[in-house]
Amino acid sequence: NIKNNFFNFNIFTSNFFSVTSNKKFKRVIRIAGFVNATSDFEEHPKVINGASDLMVKVFGEDGKHMRIALGATLPLGVAVEVEGLFELN
């Protein structure tokens, strides 16, 4: 449901910006994206490009990372799940 997704996004952004604003952030190591899709869908990387592009746009060279993009069956009708692994100082 959109209300829960918005709530989860708010939790992510508040934690993310507290780490980056306190100069604890060093670099993005990996972004893993899981796309809720039918078995005939083959463009998972295109869906996850947004998250990858955002990391590079925000952090420049420190935002470049390895990436995984997979199709999955996600709970509660979630369309996309993104996991990030970051190195901190």
Side-chain angles (χ1 to χ4, degrees):
N1 113 8
I2 196 159
K3 190 174 184 179
N4 287 338
N5 290 337
F6 183 71
F7 177 73
N8 291 334
F9 181 73
N10 283 336
I11 290 172
F12 166 77
T13 55
S14 63
N15 287 319
F16 183 76
F17 288 112
S18 82
V19 168
T20 57
S21 66
N22 289 328
K23 308 224 188 281
K24 294 179 184 176
F25 173 82
K26 187 170 182 178
R27 68 184 178 107
V28 181
I29 296 172
R30 182 186 75 216
I31 297 293
F34 304 91
V35 180
N36 196 352
T38 59
S39 60
D40 61 333
F41 184 75
E42 297 179 350
E43 299 191 17
H44 307 96
K46 289 182 180 178
V47 175
I48 305 305
N49 280 349
S52 289
D53 293 346
L54 178 63
M55 293 298 109
V56 174
K57 186 170 186 167
V58 170
F59 300 114
E61 284 295 312
D62 294 333
K64 292 184 178 178
H65 55 274
M66 64 180 270
R67 188 183 74 181
I68 301 165
L70 300 169
T73 301
L74 299 174
L76 305 173
V78 173
V80 176
E81 183 175 311
V82 178
E83 169 190 295
L85 180 61
F86 304 89
E87 181 177 354
L88 305 177
N89 288 316

